[in-house]
Amino acid sequence: MKPFAHWAIHRQQKIRIAGRGAGEIWGQLIGPDGTQRSFRFDQARSLLILGDGDTQQVYQLDAYGFEQPLDTPSDDS
């Protein structure tokens, strides 16, 4: 959870954990202006998933909570 905690500190977000299980943490992030976004953090892969549906954002975090490029398969066939 340390990378996620660092990410939240950098972004001035408060973490409200709603649950844990199978290597994941989920809940709400509260911004400095009071806006709320749902999150899910996969601890094994350090993947942070924000929001739901079409507005969903996925971030790969390093050990210090900085966003890294996602490993996506190439479309070169």
Side-chain angles (χ1 to χ4, degrees), residues 4 25 27 31 33 35-37 40 43-44 46 64-65 67 71:
F4 176 45
I25 299 168
D33 61 354
T35 58
Q36 296 186 23
R37 291 189 291 176
R40 187 168 286 276
Q43 294 179 330
S46 290
Y64 301 101
E67 298 164 10
D71 294 330

Side-chain angles (χ1 to χ4, degrees), residues 1-9 15 25 29 39 41 48 61 65:
M1 180 160 157
K2 193 178 248 183
F4 176 45
H6 284 298
W7 180 90
I9 290 167
I15 301 169
I25 299 168
L29 289 172
F39 76 86
F41 182 64
L48 175 60
L61 303 182

Side-chain angles (χ1 to χ4, degrees), residues 3-20:
F4 176 45
H6 284 298
W7 180 90
I9 290 167
H10 296 306
R11 301 252 181 201
Q12 298 179 333
Q13 302 286 308
K14 293 180 183 177
I15 301 169
R16 290 203 178 138
I17 296 173
R20 297 174 183 251

Side-chain angles (χ1 to χ4, degrees), residues 22-71:
E24 284 192 341
I25 299 168
W26 59 89
Q28 295 286 316
L29 289 172
I30 314 300
D33 61 354
T35 58
Q36 296 186 23
R37 291 189 291 176
S38 62
F39 76 86
R40 187 168 286 276
F41 182 64
D42 181 331
Q43 294 179 330
R45 296 184 298 161
S46 290
L47 280 180
L48 175 60
I49 303 163
L50 300 176
D52 298 309
D54 294 338
T55 61
Q56 190 176 69
Q57 298 170 297
V58 180
Y59 298 103
Q60 176 78 52
L61 303 182
D62 69 11
Y64 301 101
F66 293 106
E67 298 164 10
Q68 301 299 309
L70 288 173
D71 294 330

